[in-house]
Amino acid sequence: MAHFLEIDHVTKTFAVNGAAGIHVIDDVSMQVAEGEVVVFLGPSGCGKSTLMRMVGGLETPTSGRIMLEGREVKGPDRQKGMVFQSYSSFPWLKVIDNVRFGLKFRSDLSAKEKDRIARHYLQMVGLSEFEDYWVNRISGGMRQRVAIARTFAAGPDILLMDEPFGALDAQNREFLQLQLRGLCLKERKTVIFVTHDVEEAAFLADRIFVFSARPAKILEEIAICDLLPQSRDLQLRESDTFFRLRNRILGLTRTQALRSEQLEVKGP
Amino acid sequence: MEGGWRSLITFRGAERRGTMMMLGILSFIIVLVLWWGAAALKLLPPQYLPSPGAVVVRFYDLLVKYGFIGDIGISIFRVWTAFLISAAMAIPFGIMMSSFPIVNGMSQSLIDFIRYLPVPALVPLTIIWLGIGEASKIALLWLGTFFQLVLLVADDARRVPREYIEIGLTTGAKPRHILGSIVLPAMLPSMVDNLRITLGWCWTYLIIAEIVAADSGIGYVIMSARRYVKTDEVMAGILAIGIIGLATDQAIRWLHRRWFIYLT
């Protein structure tokens, strides 16, 4: 049987001034099952976001290919929803209209149906009472929830999240991780979540792919679903199991983070 | 008043709108008092520096006795016609420059070349081509603003965050949807600012056009008053432009605050 998502020997090299330049991703292959929450964990600038963007059709692999539901990914579309860290919602639209935007270009639904779906997901992220607020006037965490609601409302086959909680404070982040994990289980949505935060990765993931510094290679694959229960709460974060898991992953990432930092330096 | 006056002399201190408006009015009063004082003390003969009172009286006379209102009207008409034509062309063109490399590549250098030509240098050409009627004046204003505005609009469109575009792409929006539903609303606040600034340039070029060749308009009134050294009339003309400029600018700023209430 074909896999839901298959990344097949993908490499990526960004051209610099026309010449072959930065080698970002080095021969990565993986398979993802439907309904799985997969986290790409790696140091900043390692290329994990680029890999995720290729799944979304926003970048093209230099070689190799990406198959989603048996079809090769050729470009962005409604099947592959995105949540970004910043500029994740439109300031000129109110909260509810931002969520509705996810359905705006669907001709197969009536306006009434779109409205119903939008309100449903707004409620799922707990923002119903803020539907008439401008997004600039709600908190950063709420803005990310608006973006999540919009993306769920659009009904994508796969959800791609690029460090969506990276700019939030620690308490807010924990809360949103909890909410997102619950939402993913409930909706049985396939998710790729990119982060460099080890605890975030361990808490959210069914499976973690730990990436090396640039060019990104898969260092290790950790089946979190074998180590932690399906549904997770804040107590789990305090448990010894979680603590040991976190330390083990931290050990893996530490050296990569140092290497990655040196790679960021472009010159004097 | 808590921190009221202190904040005014604090480095990067807080600005409150009411206080800022008072300071604006105060600055006008100071200039008026200085002007009035200089005139009253006869620091310069009245032919050179008429008193504010004389200018206001003259302004009133011009309006009610000499049909100055018609000149103001025709000047405003010229400015707005040219401005609207410029904007109507520059906005789609600028957005296309930001959207398609071929449009950008074909136009960037050409626009830069034309943009650096001083507008007064083009007056003879517009007169040869279009005569001294309305068309040549509007063409001159258009030449002076279109090429500037197009680049400003293109930059506004380019500054729309990549994420916004990609939200569109991943919700099934076609390029035309993205332009209409994302790029345009996202760039609108900064574009309105640029339009406001460009409208100000229109007045500069208008006076050039009217001083060189015209038989109506504020610039024409100023120029004919100069011939007879009617300094009060010259200053009344300048005053008219200043008042129109200030009023328009304030009106657009007010609209900006109302339209883009979500930014605050």
Side-chain angles (χ1 to χ4, degrees), chain A residues 53 56 58 76-82 84 86-92 101-102 104-105 134 136-137 150 154, chain B residues 160-174 177-178 181-183 185-187 259 261-264:
Chain A
R53 290 170 59 77
L58 295 169
D77 56 36
R78 197 159 52 72
Q79 269 66 53
K80 303 168 293 255
M82 276 271 191
F84 299 101
S86 45
Y87 303 109
S88 60
S89 53
F90 301 133
W92 61 90
F101 195 93
K104 192 178 169 81
F105 305 107
W134 296 112
N136 271 2
R137 297 196 187 159
R150 179 197 62 232
Chain B
V160 173
R162 193 200 66 201
E163 285 88 341
Y164 287 174
I165 313 287
E166 292 181 347
I167 290 172
L169 290 171
T170 52
T171 42
K174 302 260 180 302
H177 297 141
I178 293 178
S181 301
I182 297 174
V183 173
M187 68 188 283
W259 287 341
I261 192 157
Y262 56 80
L263 291 176
T264 52

Side-chain angles (χ1 to χ4, degrees), chain B residues 77-127:
Chain B
F77 166 78
R78 285 167 186 156
V79 163
W80 276 90
T81 310
F83 170 71
L84 291 177
I85 294 173
S86 261
M89 294 171 74
I91 293 167
F93 200 92
I95 292 175
M96 284 302 118
M97 278 178 75
S98 74
S99 304
F100 298 106
I102 181 156
V103 184
N104 195 33
M106 292 290 289
S107 44
Q108 184 83 48
S109 318
L110 200 59
I111 289 174
D112 277 338
F113 172 77
I114 301 170
R115 193 164 73 92
Y116 275 96
L117 301 176
V119 169
L122 302 170
V123 173
L125 259 188
T126 61
I127 293 179

